């Protein structure tokens, strides 16, 4: 069974509940002592087989709450973003000791944690996220463009969480093939 621990005010908390997930209101939006205490209580009350975290804050809350447990709950630390990871002693502990299985959402992220950060004490796995592009390929592209009001020329879009370090605000010049409106473009 999957369960979710998040602040009750977080949108994911309500959405997970609506989908039938068991949810736990834990104030872990920020790294606070109240959040740590709440996580300690949750881990003591529930008997999780594994906890999968997806951000720095929840990773630290679970890792530190585990320090006080006689039998720590295995922590799977999933890393989604390519922002630099601190090279300090505490972060090395989080990845090399507190995490049973660090996971990245891409091979480049995995190699960066190993090569740039030296996180080598536990195997780091890459499980790429993604959806097969054919799932979103319209059966009738010309008709889809007309229905969506898109121009007949090539349209390029992006679907992402907007983060300052991803560079979405920067516009670059199209490559030569895009500028020529080539039918196949590998840029």
């Amino acid at each position: 069974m999957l369960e979710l621990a998040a602040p009750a005010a977080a949108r994911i908390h309500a959405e997970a509940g609506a989908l039938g997930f068991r949810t736990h209101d834990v104030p872990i939006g920020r790294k606070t002592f109240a959040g740590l205490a709440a996580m300690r209580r949750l881990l003591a009350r529930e008997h999780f087989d594994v906890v999968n975290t997806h951000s720095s804050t929840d990773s630290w809350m679970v890792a530190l709450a585990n320090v006080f447990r006689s039998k720590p709950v295995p922590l799977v630390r999933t890393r989604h973003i390519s922002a630099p990871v601190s090279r300090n002693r505490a972060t090395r502990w989080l990845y090399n000791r507190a995490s049973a299985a660090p996971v990245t959402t891409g091979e480049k992220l995995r190699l960066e944690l190993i090569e740039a950060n030296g996180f080598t004490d536990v195997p780091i796995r890459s499980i790429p996220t993604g959806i097969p592009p054919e799932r979103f390929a319209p059966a009738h592209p010309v008709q889809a463009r007309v229905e969506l009001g898109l121009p007949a020329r090539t349209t390029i879009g992006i679907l992402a969480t907007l983060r300052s370090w991803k560079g979405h605000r920067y516009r670059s010049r199209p490559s030569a093939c895009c500028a020529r409106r080539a039918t196949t473009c590998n840029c």
Side-chain angles (χ1 to χ4, degrees):
M1 175 175 26
L2 296 175
E3 300 183 27
L4 175 83
R11 192 170 114 198
I12 193 172
H13 193 279
E15 290 181 15
L19 291 171
F21 285 80
R22 183 172 179 216
T23 58
H24 304 275
D25 178 16
V26 185
I28 54 172
R30 294 207 161 127
K31 296 172 187 155
T32 64
F33 287 113
L36 176 58
M39 185 58 69
R40 283 185 64 200
R41 287 190 300 275
L42 177 65
L43 294 181
R45 183 177 70 241
E46 303 297 330
H47 300 286
F48 299 119
D49 296 315
V50 65
V51 174
N52 182 212
T53 61
H54 294 268
S55 76
S56 174
T57 302
D58 58 0
S59 298
W60 280 106
M61 294 294 110
V62 173
L64 293 173
N66 261 339
V67 168
F68 303 106
R69 296 179 51 81
S70 60
K71 187 177 179 201
V73 178
L75 168 61
V76 173
R77 170 44 170 131
T78 301
R79 182 157 177 82
H80 302 263
I81 63 173
S82 60
V85 176
S86 297
R87 294 182 178 189
N88 60 40
R89 179 179 270 169
T91 303
R92 279 194 306 276
W93 171 82
L94 177 66
Y95 279 86
N96 283 330
R97 301 278 185 257
S99 299
V103 172
T104 64
T105 57
E107 185 63 14
K108 185 173 186 261
L109 295 174
R110 185 184 82 81
L111 291 174
E112 189 173 299
L113 292 176
I114 294 167
E115 294 168 2
N117 292 88
F119 300 154
T120 57
D121 292 359
V122 295
I124 299 174
R125 292 169 180 84
S126 172
I127 303 173
T129 53
I131 299 169
E134 59 273 6
R135 182 173 170 189
F136 295 99
H140 305 285
V142 173
Q143 180 183 345
R145 284 181 180 281
V146 170
E147 288 175 9
L148 294 170
L150 297 173
R153 66 183 186 274
T154 301
T155 303
I156 298 172
I158 184 169
L159 177 64
T161 301
L162 299 178
R163 305 273 190 211
S164 62
W165 56 84
K166 290 184 177 182
H168 293 117
R169 67 181 171 178
Y170 300 106
R171 292 176 47 191
S172 62
R173 293 183 188 168
S175 70
C177 65
C178 287
R180 290 191 317 267
R181 295 190 184 170
T183 54
T184 58
C185 182
N186 298 320
C187 55

